[in-house]
Amino acid sequence: MKGVVLAGGTGSRLRPITHTGPKQLVPVANKPVIEYAIDDLVEAGITDIGVVLGDKGREEIQAYLGDGSDFGVDITYIVQGEPLGLAHAVGCAKEFVGDDSFVVYLGDDLMREGIVDFVADFDPDEYAAGIGLQRVDEPERYGIVEVDGVPTTDGSGDNQDDEGGDNQDDEGGDNQDDEDGDGRGDVVGLVEKPDDPPSDLALIGIYVFTPAIFEQIEKLEPSWRGELEITEAIQGLIDDGNRIQSHVVHGWWKDTGKPEDVIHANRLVLDDIERDVRGTIEDGADVTGRLELGEGSVVEAGATVRGPVSVGANTTVESGTYIGPYTSIGDDCDVGDVHIESSVVIGESTIRCDRRIVDSVIGRRSTITRNTDKRPEGERLVIGRNSSLEL
């Protein structure tokens, strides 16, 4: 079986962070989102991986992943160009896939439990496709499936404030710990954001296909959104008499399409980290809770860190600084005289101000400093397009 990671899309909902880089390389707990997808595929025994690239961020993704050898995989790059929908992206992988079954993984999604069981359960001799699902509280906001033999609702959903659908830039969910039922059964129908949902089982953007999907993709016409919809291709398989397997995923699932999603995903991942100190914690520093501290980094005497916190390599947490829970600070940063928590600092940034920063995403090469000695008094800002500040 092969893997196909979709790394196209414009990342419009993550601007201005994605003005200077692809959304798939935005770090969560100091690890690019796309690397979590690669890790999940490797854990499931899949090492022959095609990465579908759009026009935006193509060079940066290739530079980061290389030939895949650093991650224990063999990567083939597939150029989609302009994103014309999820089905279009999948269709671009036809030559790479050949006659093999393959997993499709959205490159900006995170799944706590991985895909080992999902892949192991799929039988290409019985099914033309398999779909990863999760129960949601508001099914009218998602791409929903009806599954033969699975209860339509169990009331256990926990999804919070997220959008569904099958578009590469649609928003994801974060249901947690759905333990009811084994999630097995044939998919008998799909509908996008229905007014009267047939179930509470939502598509979450993880699929396994046989090559039969390509014939259906070739038949598609653009939807009202101007895109080729993967739900229509799967429905075509059903209409032609093919069986589609369902698999309800347990644990949380998160799309990182918006800044608040990145912050939430960072919190979810940091909940599971272990203490790993490779840098230096000076005597007199106050560190409690779990801390990842990269090589060459220093927590100075007089600094306070309350985990879970992840700090990258070659970063200095200066005396008088407070780093609160659920914060990730990237490589090559200087952080001083600031209270920061529940935030993501992507890297190569300087933050040195007597302020409290919370629930924030700070892009690469940012500078935040105090201006108390300048006249006239006031905030001095250089703000790019699509920025958001709360002062």
Side-chain angles (χ1 to χ4, degrees):
M1 187 176 286
K2 294 178 178 177
V4 174
V5 178
L6 304 186
T10 62
S12 59
R13 293 177 298 125
L14 257 177
R15 292 172 183 163
I17 302 299
T18 49
H19 279 317
T20 55
K23 60 182 180 178
Q24 294 82 9
L25 293 185
V26 171
V28 171
N30 281 319
K31 180 175 171 179
V33 175
I34 196 170
E35 192 175 337
Y36 290 95
I38 300 293
D39 288 348
D40 282 352
L41 289 168
V42 170
E43 186 184 23
I46 298 170
T47 57
D48 193 359
I49 298 173
V51 177
V52 180
L53 302 170
D55 289 330
K56 184 175 179 60
R58 185 186 309 174
E59 294 81 7
E60 291 96 328
I61 292 173
Q62 287 180 280
Y64 184 80
L65 295 178
D67 63 3
S69 57
D70 288 346
F71 307 95
V73 299
D74 182 14
I75 290 179
T76 299
Y77 293 103
I78 303 159
V79 177
Q80 178 189 10
E82 183 181 0
L84 299 175
L86 193 57
H88 177 252
V90 173
C92 291
K94 181 177 180 180
E95 183 177 347
F96 165 74
V97 168
D99 296 328
D100 295 319
S101 299
F102 61 105
V103 172
V104 173
Y105 203 127
L106 301 191
D108 56 352
D109 277 9
L110 292 172
M111 296 174 59
R112 180 181 186 183
E113 301 298 334
I115 60 171
V116 171
D117 291 341
F118 180 50
V119 171
D121 287 346
F122 183 73
D123 183 354
D125 294 327
E126 293 289 331
Y127 296 97
I131 305 175
L133 306 172
Q134 198 165 79
R135 296 192 182 276
V136 295
D137 281 342
E138 300 178 273
E140 64 276 5
R141 301 174 62 186
Y142 296 82
I144 295 297
V145 304
E146 184 176 0
V147 177
D148 185 29
V150 174
T152 58
T153 181
D154 67 0
S156 65
D158 182 20
N159 197 280
Q160 299 176 9
D161 302 325
D162 292 317
E163 301 284 342
D166 61 20
N167 186 274
Q168 287 156 290
D169 279 330
D170 280 350
E171 302 166 23
D174 58 274
N175 282 70
Q176 304 189 25
D177 305 324
D178 171 15
E179 301 294 344
D180 295 335
D182 62 3
R184 303 297 187 270
D186 284 10
V187 176
V188 296
L190 303 91
V191 59
E192 185 68 25
K193 299 181 181 178
D195 292 331
D196 185 18
S199 78
D200 62 352
L201 294 170
L203 297 164
I204 63 169
I206 181 73
Y207 310 88
V208 58
F209 292 119
T210 65
I213 193 65
F214 296 118
E215 180 180 351
Q216 299 299 327
I217 292 173
E218 290 169 359
K219 297 177 184 178
L220 295 178
E221 297 291 336
S223 68
W224 62 272
R225 298 191 293 186
E227 299 183 349
L228 303 183
E229 308 286 358
I230 198 66
T231 49
E232 293 184 13
I234 297 169
Q235 186 63 54
L237 289 173
I238 296 171
D239 294 343
D240 285 352
N242 295 283
R243 297 180 68 193
I244 309 299
Q245 187 181 42
S246 68
H247 183 96
V248 176
V249 174
H250 303 300
W252 54 259
W253 148 70
K254 192 69 184 175
D255 172 15
T256 56
K258 297 186 298 182
E260 54 265 37
D261 295 327
V262 172
I263 293 167
H264 192 189
N266 187 67
R267 173 180 288 268
L268 293 170
V269 174
L270 288 180
D271 261 335
D272 291 332
I273 68 168
E274 301 294 336
R275 180 179 170 89
D276 182 9
V277 176
R278 304 182 185 188
T280 301
I281 301 175
E282 293 184 351
D283 291 341
D286 181 6
V287 177
T288 58
R290 290 164 287 129
L291 170 65
E292 292 181 340
L293 185 67
E295 294 182 0
S297 290
V298 178
V299 180
E300 293 184 348
T304 301
V305 178
R306 295 285 183 265
V309 165
S310 176
V311 177
N314 303 311
T315 285
T316 300
V317 180
E318 298 177 1
S319 179
T321 301
Y322 176 91
I323 308 295
Y326 301 108
T327 300
S328 293
I329 299 176
D331 299 344
D332 303 306
C333 291
D334 288 305
V335 184
D337 195 26
V338 64
H339 177 131
I340 183 168
E341 62 181 278
S342 186
S343 295
V344 176
V345 182
I346 292 179
E348 300 175 58
S349 295
T350 297
I351 304 174
R352 193 172 286 112
C353 60
D354 186 15
R355 292 294 189 95
R356 181 171 181 171
I357 298 172
V358 299
D359 297 334
S360 298
V361 179
I362 299 172
R364 193 174 302 278
R365 301 188 183 95
S366 296
T367 300
I368 305 173
T369 58
R370 67 173 67 86
N371 65 359
T372 54
D373 297 331
K374 292 186 177 181
R375 296 291 184 273
E377 293 183 359
E379 310 296 346
R380 289 170 171 79
L381 310 173
V382 178
I383 304 300
R385 184 178 178 181
N386 303 116
S387 296
S388 175
L389 275 76
E390 296 181 18
L391 299 175

